[in-house]
Amino acid sequence: MDLNVRKSVFYPNADLTTKQNYKHYSIVEPDGSIIERVFLDIPIARIRERIIFRHYLSRRVKFFYDNPVGFNVLSRDSPWDFTIELSSGESFNIEITSIAEEPWIFEMLKREERLLLASYKESITAREYLKLSKYI
């Protein structure tokens, strides 16, 4: 039997063998085809944002500057995720947002994240319990 397996448009080009902090999904579509997806798996939003921010800055410097560039975080979550100043004299804001190929994927990931974070807590409110119980 020959399976129709394809990778999502956001699937990484690099080999993931030595990588961490990701989760891999194989999703069976209604037509029987399979789509492979990979997602960044860091449930604490603040840490995830910091990693994405540093990656973004490293790529920006690599592709747009001839010399090393330093940076200073002027503010965090006030109101932007990051307000930064580069040693080149530029200042700008960075807001980390989520994207997904389909709305249901985004919702699924947010629910998984919420369940995981709740599992680390010693106790949760009854309201949170009722909300989480709808996800299972």
Side-chain angles (χ1 to χ4, degrees):
M1 182 162 145
D2 197 18
L3 297 176
N4 180 13
V5 179
R6 59 189 165 92
K7 296 183 180 339
S8 76
V9 296
F10 297 123
Y11 200 91
N13 295 327
D15 179 26
L16 299 175
T17 307
T18 61
K19 305 298 182 193
Q20 300 177 34
N21 299 321
Y22 74 91
K23 52 185 163 185
H24 179 269
Y25 287 91
S26 294
I27 299 173
V28 179
E29 296 289 311
D31 66 359
S33 64
I34 299 170
I35 300 177
E36 292 185 341
R37 292 184 166 100
V38 173
F39 299 102
L40 185 62
D41 188 27
I42 303 171
I44 300 170
R46 195 167 175 85
I47 294 171
R48 183 175 57 243
E49 288 174 349
R50 189 176 70 226
I51 290 169
I52 293 168
F53 161 71
R54 293 183 78 101
H55 180 76
Y56 165 76
L57 276 184
S58 72
R59 301 296 96 194
R60 181 180 172 128
V61 169
K62 178 179 180 177
F63 294 117
F64 296 107
Y65 297 92
D66 294 327
N67 298 312
V69 176
F71 71 92
N72 185 26
V73 177
L74 301 176
S75 67
R76 176 78 163 103
D77 294 325
S78 181
W80 302 95
D81 288 333
F82 300 92
T83 298
I84 68 162
E85 177 181 54
L86 300 180
S87 59
S88 65
E90 294 175 87
S91 295
F92 53 93
N93 301 314
I94 297 175
E95 182 68 23
I96 310 296
T97 59
S98 297
I99 60 171
E101 294 165 289
E102 303 286 338
W104 67 267
I105 295 172
F106 179 78
E107 293 167 12
M108 174 191 72
L109 294 173
K110 290 313 257 179
R111 288 177 178 163
E112 284 183 7
E113 180 180 300
R114 192 169 188 161
L115 281 165
L116 182 63
L117 291 174
S119 73
Y120 293 140
K121 296 180 180 177
E122 192 169 312
S123 63
I124 58 173
T125 64
R127 181 178 183 273
E128 182 69 3
Y129 174 77
L130 291 172
K131 190 167 229 165
L132 292 172
S133 67
K134 293 177 184 175
Y135 297 163
I136 299 173

